[in-house]
Amino acid sequence: MKTASIAAIALAAAALGASASGWIVAHGVDGQRNGVVPTNIGYQGPASVALGDIAGAAAPGGAIDMPNPYGTSPQAIADGKRLYQAMNCAGCHGYDGGGNMGPALNDSYWRYGGAPAQIYKTIYEGRPQGMPAWGHALPADQLWKITAYVSSLGGGVAPKDAVAALRGDRPPSTDVKSQPNAAEGGSAIEGQ
């Protein structure tokens, strides 16, 4: 057999295997649909929030300014804290959200956005360089509770300020002079 034929057969076998495993994940071994969505293509919930193009420019609109359905409920925050610890978020972000090998969650710098819908999206999809995706491991209500806890740590932005924050605008109450920067002897790399 020629090398090209062998490669074509191997590629076809891999595609068939991937297709079959996706069907098994979505339907289970008994053939009944189990509610697991192996991808979020076509998903229209909060994790489908458009956050910008490759260059990082904001793509306003969608559900980016959607508030957390649990709001600031003390019970949701307590449940979120329990989940934050149980899922070992504290291992990377610290028990108080101050950061460790993962970014701090209690400051004003959020690379992927600090509004509740953006935090949810980050937890749901994960991020490059270490943030795992929890969207297929935890149900939406638990993701929102973790989002409520993370928001309670003091970082992030209010939903109404989400689009402006993506553009680099700061809420009027933010004192820019108190933010360290490399030109003034502060850290050039900080936060998320």
Side-chain angles (χ1 to χ4, degrees), residues 141-179:
D141 68 314
Q142 291 182 351
L143 296 175
W144 278 117
K145 289 176 182 178
I146 294 171
T147 300
Y149 174 67
V150 169
S151 295
S152 78
L153 295 174
V157 298
K160 65 180 179 53
D161 298 326
V163 173
L166 276 177
R167 292 185 187 125
D169 298 338
R170 295 183 184 271
S173 62
T174 303
D175 179 13
V176 176
K177 287 292 184 189
S178 68
Q179 304 292 328

Side-chain angles (χ1 to χ4, degrees), residues 49-53 56-61 64-65 110-115 118 157 161-170:
V49 176
L51 293 181
D53 62 15
I64 198 168
D65 57 355
W110 291 71
R111 179 178 297 163
Y112 299 104
Q118 296 165 315
V157 298
D161 298 326
V163 173
L166 276 177
R167 292 185 187 125
D169 298 338
R170 295 183 184 271

Side-chain angles (χ1 to χ4, degrees), residues 1-8:
M1 245 183 187
K2 294 183 179 179
T3 305
S5 298
I6 294 172

